[in-house]
C-alpha cells in the first residue's frame, strides 16, 4: 500500500527521502535519505569566468576598483558599524532599508563587507524580475552579483550554497518613495524574507543605511514617462532626467553610515509554516531597523559631514 | 523490476537508435523492438524494427504479442525546425495518447514507462527562478506550439501514472542538447560564423551532451526510478561565454523589440531560430540537475565541456566530412541477415544471447516438456561457444569427451547447423569411439 501510494503521487510530489536507492557511498546515501541535495551541487570549473548565476568576478572587480571605490571612499565617505554581525561563514540574509532612484545602498553594503569584514565575502543582491527583462540591465546586472528576488533563488543561495544574500523587503516602494517620506520605512512585503531565512535556517542580519535618501532625493514620479520607457519608475532627481541616463549616477555627496544590527537566529525546522510567527518576526525586524534609523538621523550633525 | 523486453518508440529518431544500440549490448535484455513511421537511421544489430503509423494506433497488439515489459518513448518532437507544427502536434499529442492507451488497460504487460521530454516544459519568462527543480511549474501558460504540445503530452503522462499505479513512470526533461552527431536548432545556431544574440541580453544557457542523453535514458530504463528528472550538464553558461568558448564573435542581430517578426524575416533568409528558442535567447534557462545525480547517475560532460566538444567537432568536421558513410536501412537486407538460414558467418548475424538466469529457466521448461520432440539443447558444453569461429571449434573438438561431443553436435544442429562444424564433430566422435573400443 505504501509503495502504491508513493507511485501514485510519484509525478506530483518529489520526496527523495522516501525513494529506495541502490548502492551509493555512505555519505551520499545519508544525504539522499535526508532529502539534502547539497552534496550534488555542481563543482566549480576554474576555467570559467562566470559562475552559474552569471556573476563575473572580472566585471565586478572592475566596478569595485573604480566606481564603487570612488563612491565608497571619497564621495559618500562610508562609515560602517557592527560589520562583525555578518557571519564569517554559512548563509545569512541581510535585510536593509532601501532608497534612492538608482539605489546606491546595495553596492555600498557589498563594498562595506568586502572592505571592513575579517572574512570578505561576495554579497548576492536580490533585485526585481524587471531587470531580467530590460535590455542592457539584463546583461549587466547579473554580472555584478544581482539575482532575481525569487524565493527559490534565495533558498538555493542561502541553504544550498551558504552565501550572503541582501534583500530589500520594501522593494521598489522603498526606492521610488519621495524625498519628503525619507527614512519612513514602507510595508515589509508579506514577510517572505523571514520565511526564506527560516526555511534555510540562516540568521537575519538587519542593516540600516543613512545617507542614501539625501544622496539621490526623488522629488516626483512621472507616470507617463514610466510607461513610455518601460522602466519600473521614472523619478525626477537633481540630475535625472535632464542630464540623461548618466544623471542616474549623479549622486549628491551625502555622508553614509551603514550599521549592521545583531543577527536574529532561527534554529528549529518548520518555523516558516507558522504564518503568525513569520509576521511577528517581520514586524520585529522592521521595528529594529526603523528605531535605529531614527536614532542615527537624530544624532547626525550634518547631512554632508555626518556625525 | 528488471527490464527484459523493451519496446522503443521513435526508433528512427537519433535518440531511439542510440538507446537501442546501447541496450543491444546488454545480454540481460532479451528483446528490443523499435517502432517508428520512418526507417531507422542508426545501424541496429538485434533490434527488431516494426513500421507503424504516426498515430501508433496498432501498437497495443505489438505490445501484447511481444509481452513488452518496458516502453521507452523517445519520439517527442521538441524542436520545431525538425517537423511542421501539425506533424509535431500529431506526433506529440495524439501519438503519446495512443502509446499510453496501448500500455494501459487490463492484461497489459507493461511495468515501466520512460518518456523523453524537454525542459521546454518550463518555458522561459522574466519571472523564472534561476534553476528549475522538478516540482516547479511554468509561471505562464505556453505561447509556442511545441511548448503547448509538450505540456499536453506531460499532462497525459501524469494522468497515466495516476491511473496505473503499478507502472513505474519516469519522465526526463532534457536541457538543450549539443554534440557532434546530433542536429538541433542550437548546433545549427552555433555553426554560424557568429553567435546571434538579442541586443542587450546575455541569457544563461545549460546544455547536455548527446552521450549523457543516451546514458540518462539507459539509466532510467535499467533502474526503477519513478518520477520526473531534469537532465542537464553541470554548470550554466552565459551566451557570451558560449560564444567565447566557440571562438566566435557575439553579434546582436535581433533588437529587443519586435523580436518575433524579425526572427520570422530571418527564417526566410535562412537563419532559423525557432520560436521556442527565442525566449531562451532573451531570458535563458537553468535546471537543477541534482535529483538525477542523487539516483547515482554521473554526467560525463559539464555544460562547458559539451560546448568545448562541439567546438572541437566543428573544427575537425570540414576535414573529415564524408569519411563515414551514412547508414541506410534496407528492410530486405536486414531481414535476410537476421533470419535466413543461409547466413553462415556469425559476424553478420547477431543472435540474442541469454544470460545464466534465463538459461536455468529455459532448461527447467525443457525438462518439464515432453521429451519426444527433439528440441536442441539450449546450452553448449563449451563456454563462449557462440563466439567461436568454425575453424576454432574444429581445433577444439579433439580435446572433448564423447558425451560432450554428442551434446555439442545436438547443440550445433539446433543452433546454426554449420556443416563444417558438424563434420568436424563427427570425425572427432569416430576417433573417440575407436579409442574407446
Amino acid at each position: 500500500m505504501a509503495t502504491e501510494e508513493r507511485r501514485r503521487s510519484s509525478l506530483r510530489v518529489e520526496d527523495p527521502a522516501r525513494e529506495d536507492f541502490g548502492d551509493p557511498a555512505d555519505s551520499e546515501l545519508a544525504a539522499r535519505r535526508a532529502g539534502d541535495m547539497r552534496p550534488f551541487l555542481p563543482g566549480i570549473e576554474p576555467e570559467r569566468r562566470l559562475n552559474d548565476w552569471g556573476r563575473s568576478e572580472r566585471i565586478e572587480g572592475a566596478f569595485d576598483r573604480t566606481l564603487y571605490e570612488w563612491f565608497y571612499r571619497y564621495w559618500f565617505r562610508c562609515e560602517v558599524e557592527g560589520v562583525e554581525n555578518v557571519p564569517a561563514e554559512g548563509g545569512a540574509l541581510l535585510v536593509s532599508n532601501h532608497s534612492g532612484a538608482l539605489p546606491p545602498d546595495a553596492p555600498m553594503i557589498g563594498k562595506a563587507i568586502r572592505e571592513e569584514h575579517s572574512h570578505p565575502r561576495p554579497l548576492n543582491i536580490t533585485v526585481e524580475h524587471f531587470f531580467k527583462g530590460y535590455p542592457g540591465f539584463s546583461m549587466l546586472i547579473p554580472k555584478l552579483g544581482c539575482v532575481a528576488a525569487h524565493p527559490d533563488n534565495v533558498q538555493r543561495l542561502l541553504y544550498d550554497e551558504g552565501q550572503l544574500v541582501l534583500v530589500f523587503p520594501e522593494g521598489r516602494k522603498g526606492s521610488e518613495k519621495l524625498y519628503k517620506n525619507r527614512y519612513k520605512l514602507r510595508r515589509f512585503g508579506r514577510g517572505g524574507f523571514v520565511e526564506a531565512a527560516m526555511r534555510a535556517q540562516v540568521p537575519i542580519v538587519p542593516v540600516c543605511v543613512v545617507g542614501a535618501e539625501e544622496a539621490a532625493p526623488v522629488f516626483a514620479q512621472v507616470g507617463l514617462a514610466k510607461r513610455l520607457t518601460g522602466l519600473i519608475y521614472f523619478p525626477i532627481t537633481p540630475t535625472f532626467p535632464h542630464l540623461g541616463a548618466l544623471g542616474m549616477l549623479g549622486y549628491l555627496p551625502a555622508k553614509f553610515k551603514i550599521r549592521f544590527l545583531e543577527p536574529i537566529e532561527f534554529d528549529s525546522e518548520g518555523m516558516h509554516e507558522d504564518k503568525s510567527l513569520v509576521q511577528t518576526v517581520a514586524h520585529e525586524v522592521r521595528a529594529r531597523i526603523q528605531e535605529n534609523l531614527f536614532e542615527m538621523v537624530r544624532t547626525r550633525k550634518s547631512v554632508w559631514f555626518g556625525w | 523490476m528488471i527490464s527484459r523486453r523493451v519496446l522503443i518508440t521513435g526508433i528512427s529518431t537519433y535518440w531511439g537508435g542510440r538507446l537501442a544500440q546501447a541496450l543491444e549490448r546488454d545480454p540481460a535484455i532479451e528483446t528490443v523492438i523499435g517502432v517508428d513511421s520512418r526507417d531507422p537511421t542508426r545501424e541496429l544489430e538485434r533490434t527488431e524494427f516494426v513500421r507503424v503509423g504516426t498515430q501508433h494506433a496498432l501498437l497495443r497488439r505489438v505490445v501484447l504479442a511481444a509481452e513488452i515489459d518496458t516502453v521507452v518513448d523517445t519520439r517527442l518532437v521538441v524542436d520545431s525546425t525538425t517537423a511542421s507544427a501539425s506533424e509535431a502536434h500529431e506526433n506529440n499529442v495524439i501519438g503519446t495518447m495512443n502509446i499510453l492507451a496501448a500500455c494501459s488497460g487490463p492484461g497489459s504487460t507493461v511495468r515501466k514507462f520512460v518518456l523523453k521530454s524537454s525542459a521546454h516544459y518550463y518555458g522561459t519568462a522574466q519571472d523564472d527562478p534561476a534553476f528549475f527543480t522538478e516540482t516547479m511549474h511554468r509561471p505562464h501558460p505556453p505561447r509556442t506550439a511545441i511548448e503547448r504540445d509538450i505540456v499536453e503530452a506531460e499532462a497525459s503522462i501524469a494522468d497515466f501514472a495516476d491511473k496505473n499505479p503499478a507502472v513505474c513512470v519516469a519522465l526526463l526533461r532534457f536541457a538543450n542538447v549539443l554534440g557532434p552527431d546530433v542536429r538541433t536548432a542550437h548546433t545549427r545556431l552555433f555553426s554560424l560564423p557568429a553567435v546571434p544574440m538579442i541586443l542587450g541580453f546575455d541569457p544563461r544557457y545549460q546544455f547536455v551532451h548527446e552521450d549523457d542523453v543516451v546514458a540518462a535514458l539507459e539509466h532510467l530504463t535499467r533502474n526503477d526510478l519513478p518520477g520526473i528528472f531534469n537532465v542537464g550538464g553541470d554548470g550554466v553558461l552565459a551566451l557570451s561565454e558560449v560564444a567565447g568558448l566557440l571562438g566566435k564573435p557575439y553579434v546582436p542581430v535581433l533588437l529587443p523589440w519586435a523580436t518575433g517578426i524579425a526572427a520570422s524575416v530571418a527564417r526566410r533568409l535562412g537563419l532559423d531560430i525557432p520560436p521556442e528558442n527565442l525566449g531562451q535567447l532573451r531570458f535563458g534557462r537553468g535546471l537543477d540537475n541534482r535529483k538525477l545525480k542523487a539516483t547515482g547517475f554521473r554526467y560525463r560532460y559539464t555544460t562547458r565541456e559539451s560546448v568545448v566538444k562541439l567546438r572541437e567537432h566543428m573544427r575537425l568536421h570540414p576535414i573529415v566530412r564524408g569519411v563515414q558513410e551514412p547508414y541506410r536501412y534496407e528492410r530486405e537486407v536486414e531481414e535476410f541477415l537476421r533470419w535466413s538460414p543461409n547466413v553462415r558467418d556469425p559476424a553478420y548475424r547477431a543472435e540474442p544471447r541469454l544470460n545464466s538466469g534465463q538459461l536455468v529457466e529455459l532448461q527447467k521448461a525443457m525438462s518439464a516438456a515432453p521429451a519426444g520432440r527433439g528440441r536442441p539443447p539450449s546450452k553448449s558444453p563449451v563456454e563462449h561457444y557462440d563466439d567461436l569461429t568454425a575453424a576454432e571449434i574444429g581445433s577444439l573438438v579433439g580435446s572433448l569427451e564423447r558425451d560432450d561431443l554428442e551434446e555439442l553436435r545436438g547443440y550445433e544442429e539446433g543452433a546454426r547447423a554449420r556443416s563444417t562444424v558438424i563434420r568436424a564433430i563427427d570425425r572427432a566422435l569416430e576417433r573417440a569411439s575407436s579409442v574407446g573400443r
Side-chain angles (χ1 to χ4, degrees):
Chain A
M1 188 59 209
T3 55
E4 199 175 302
E5 273 299 315
R6 194 189 82 194
R7 290 249 167 90
R8 188 178 291 276
S9 58
S10 62
L11 277 178
R12 301 260 152 81
V13 184
E14 310 301 315
D15 189 353
R18 280 195 295 172
E19 283 185 9
D20 217 2
F21 294 101
D23 51 310
D26 278 354
S27 64
E28 283 187 8
L29 185 73
R32 284 170 213 175
R33 289 270 149 78
D36 181 359
M37 292 287 185
R38 279 182 290 191
F40 304 106
L41 275 176
I44 291 163
E45 289 180 278
E47 302 92 341
R48 288 189 58 191
R49 282 181 170 169
L50 268 67
N51 74 2
D52 283 358
W53 299 89
R55 184 181 200 136
S56 163
E57 272 183 32
R58 197 169 53 105
I59 294 174
E60 203 191 357
F63 268 76
D64 187 63
R65 282 189 301 276
T66 54
L67 202 62
Y68 292 176
E69 173 76 16
W70 185 76
F71 272 119
Y72 183 83
R73 214 166 286 287
Y74 305 108
W75 199 248
F76 298 139
R77 294 147 287 135
C78 287
E79 204 178 311
V80 180
E81 282 177 8
V83 75
E84 67 281 356
N85 287 324
V86 178
E89 55 186 19
L93 186 65
L94 279 65
V95 179
S96 169
N97 62 315
H98 202 30
S99 57
L102 184 68
D105 39 18
M108 290 304 117
I109 293 170
K111 182 79 176 154
I113 293 171
R114 268 196 300 276
E115 292 291 320
E116 319 287 339
H117 202 276
S118 57
H119 293 78
R121 304 169 64 189
L123 178 67
N124 295 279
I125 301 160
T126 57
V127 297
E128 296 243 358
H129 286 293
F130 153 81
F131 288 103
K132 190 174 163 189
Y134 205 81
F137 277 134
S138 173
M139 214 166 180
L140 180 65
I141 288 280
K143 308 256 184 324
L144 300 177
C146 297
V147 170
H150 193 287
D152 294 312
N153 290 352
V154 176
Q155 166 75 7
R156 182 167 169 126
L157 283 167
L158 288 177
Y159 178 75
D160 294 305
E161 301 187 9
Q163 302 215 41
L164 294 181
V165 178
L166 172 65
V167 295
F168 298 103
E170 293 170 275
R172 77 165 82 155
K173 294 225 161 27
S175 48
E176 75 184 2
K177 70 172 179 280
L178 301 182
Y179 183 64
K180 61 177 183 188
N181 294 323
R182 62 189 180 278
Y183 299 119
K184 280 186 234 158
L185 289 183
R186 294 309 170 97
R187 186 162 57 85
F188 261 26
R190 272 160 277 180
F193 71 99
V194 180
E195 253 180 80
M198 286 175 169
R199 191 157 7 114
Q201 295 176 47
V202 298
I204 287 183
V205 181
V207 184
C208 319
V209 182
V210 168
E213 298 270 16
E214 287 87 2
V218 176
F219 300 122
Q221 293 286 353
V222 188
L224 181 66
K226 169 192 152 183
R227 246 173 308 171
L228 286 178
T229 54
L231 291 166
I232 33 175
Y233 48 76
F234 194 92
I236 305 290
T237 74
T239 51
F240 185 83
H242 40 278
L243 293 184
L246 269 183
M248 275 286 195
L249 287 178
Y251 297 117
L252 302 177
K255 170 87 174 166
F256 265 48
K257 187 176 208 168
I258 302 169
R259 182 182 283 174
F260 296 91
L261 305 182
E262 295 256 316
I264 302 165
E265 310 267 353
F266 309 101
D267 36 20
S268 64
E269 269 179 57
M271 288 167 91
H272 62 277
E273 275 153 28
D274 185 346
K275 293 287 173 226
S276 69
L277 181 66
V278 168
Q279 285 305 324
T280 313
V281 175
H283 284 134
E284 171 66 20
V285 173
R286 185 176 179 277
R288 279 199 208 176
I289 296 175
Q290 183 71 79
E291 198 180 298
N292 274 274
L293 280 178
F294 283 154
E295 190 266 326
M296 284 153 85
V297 173
R298 196 167 57 232
T299 55
R300 180 169 64 171
K301 288 185 188 117
S302 153
V303 169
W304 317 112
F305 301 106
W307 290 264
Chain B
M1 185 207 82
I2 301 160
S3 302
R4 293 199 190 289
R5 308 183 67 81
V6 182
L7 179 104
I8 300 175
T9 62
I11 194 77
S12 308
T13 62
Y14 176 78
W15 308 116
R18 284 284 308 267
L19 179 66
Q21 286 177 328
L23 294 178
E24 273 178 347
R25 284 196 288 271
D26 181 0
I29 290 175
E30 262 172 48
T31 305
V32 185
I33 296 175
V35 298
D36 207 315
S37 52
R38 291 162 298 146
D39 285 338
T41 52
R42 314 281 309 177
E43 196 166 349
L44 302 170
E45 277 190 7
R46 60 186 178 100
T47 301
E48 203 171 338
F49 169 62
V50 184
R51 189 189 302 277
V52 295
T54 32
Q55 298 196 340
H56 291 79
L58 298 177
L59 192 66
R60 183 170 177 79
R61 289 169 65 189
V62 177
V63 169
L64 288 180
E67 292 185 353
I68 297 297
D69 55 30
T70 300
V71 176
V72 187
D73 191 352
T74 62
R75 168 199 49 90
L76 230 52
V77 175
V78 297
D79 185 342
S80 65
T81 57
T82 56
S84 75
S86 59
E87 275 168 26
H89 182 76
E90 187 90 340
N91 181 62
N92 289 354
V93 179
I94 312 297
T96 307
M97 204 177 72
N98 285 330
I99 289 171
L100 290 173
C103 300
S104 54
S108 172
T109 50
V110 177
R111 290 291 162 266
K112 189 187 288 180
F113 193 95
V114 181
L115 177 78
K116 176 183 177 293
S117 180
S118 160
H120 283 313
Y121 173 82
Y122 300 115
T124 53
Q126 188 171 322
D127 45 359
D128 280 347
F131 297 91
F132 276 105
T133 63
E134 289 83 352
T135 41
M136 293 175 189
H137 298 286
R138 50 185 308 140
H140 307 287
R143 253 178 277 158
T144 65
I146 284 286
E147 286 174 73
R148 263 196 299 274
D149 286 354
I150 290 169
V151 168
E152 220 173 304
E154 288 211 8
S156 53
I157 286 280
D159 189 49
F160 173 81
D162 278 355
K163 287 188 180 142
N164 299 276
V167 180
C168 165
V169 180
L171 183 67
L172 290 102
R173 292 183 184 144
F174 286 94
N176 302 107
V177 185
L178 289 188
D181 288 342
V182 69
R183 285 281 152 275
T184 67
H186 280 98
T187 57
R188 239 172 294 129
L189 210 60
F190 294 152
S191 56
L192 295 171
V195 176
M197 63 175 273
I198 300 177
L199 180 68
F201 290 90
D202 190 10
R204 290 160 66 250
Y205 262 95
Q206 191 170 12
F207 295 108
V208 57
H209 192 270
E210 56 185 25
D211 291 350
D212 280 332
V213 174
V214 178
L217 284 170
E218 209 188 328
H219 180 73
L220 270 283
T221 308
R222 287 181 191 283
N223 300 296
D224 279 8
L225 297 163
I228 305 169
F229 297 91
N230 288 338
V231 188
D234 276 352
V236 186
L237 308 186
L239 189 57
S240 57
E241 221 179 342
V242 175
L245 285 173
L246 293 171
K248 293 189 175 182
Y250 181 57
V251 183
V253 292
L254 296 168
L255 293 177
W257 306 279
T259 316
I261 298 167
S264 62
V265 173
R267 210 162 295 147
R268 295 273 156 80
L269 300 173
L271 168 61
D272 199 352
I273 307 174
E276 65 271 12
N277 293 351
L278 272 181
Q280 280 192 278
L281 274 181
R282 187 181 290 258
F283 299 123
R285 186 197 296 138
L287 300 178
D288 189 332
N289 63 4
R290 290 178 289 171
K291 190 181 166 198
L292 184 65
K293 284 204 265 180
T295 67
F297 183 75
R298 293 286 168 273
Y299 288 92
R300 284 183 62 198
Y301 301 95
T302 65
T303 296
R304 186 183 152 278
E305 286 162 354
S306 316
V307 176
V308 170
K309 283 277 163 208
L310 181 69
R311 175 192 64 193
E312 287 168 4
H313 168 74
M314 287 194 305
R315 285 185 183 159
L316 194 62
H317 182 62
I319 302 166
V320 300
R321 188 166 33 196
V323 167
Q324 262 191 329
E325 271 184 39
Y327 169 72
R328 271 183 62 225
Y329 178 83
E330 285 180 36
R331 190 180 185 90
E332 284 71 23
V333 175
E334 293 284 334
E335 286 188 348
F336 168 76
L337 288 174
R338 274 171 213 202
W339 314 117
S340 167
N342 291 321
V343 175
R344 291 202 176 158
D345 187 340
Y348 286 96
R349 173 184 281 180
E351 292 192 38
R353 289 179 198 144
L354 304 179
N355 66 9
S356 56
Q358 292 166 325
L359 283 172
V360 170
E361 274 172 39
L362 249 174
Q363 274 167 345
K364 264 189 220 153
M366 283 184 43
S367 58
R373 268 190 84 238
R375 280 178 70 184
S378 61
K379 185 174 160 62
S380 101
V382 180
E383 265 188 3
H384 306 300
Y385 180 79
D386 289 342
D387 296 337
L388 299 176
T389 63
E392 281 172 315
I393 296 168
S395 61
L396 190 131
V397 286
S399 61
L400 289 179
E401 296 291 332
R402 192 192 156 91
D403 291 350
D404 282 342
L405 281 169
E406 266 165 6
E407 205 181 329
L408 193 65
R409 190 177 192 281
Y411 178 83
E412 175 65 28
E413 268 176 341
R416 263 179 254 170
R418 288 168 290 192
S419 56
T420 48
V421 175
I422 291 176
R423 248 179 281 131
I425 297 174
D426 282 344
R427 267 194 311 260
L429 264 173
E430 272 174 31
R431 236 176 293 139
S433 48
S434 64
V435 169
R437 248 178 251 140

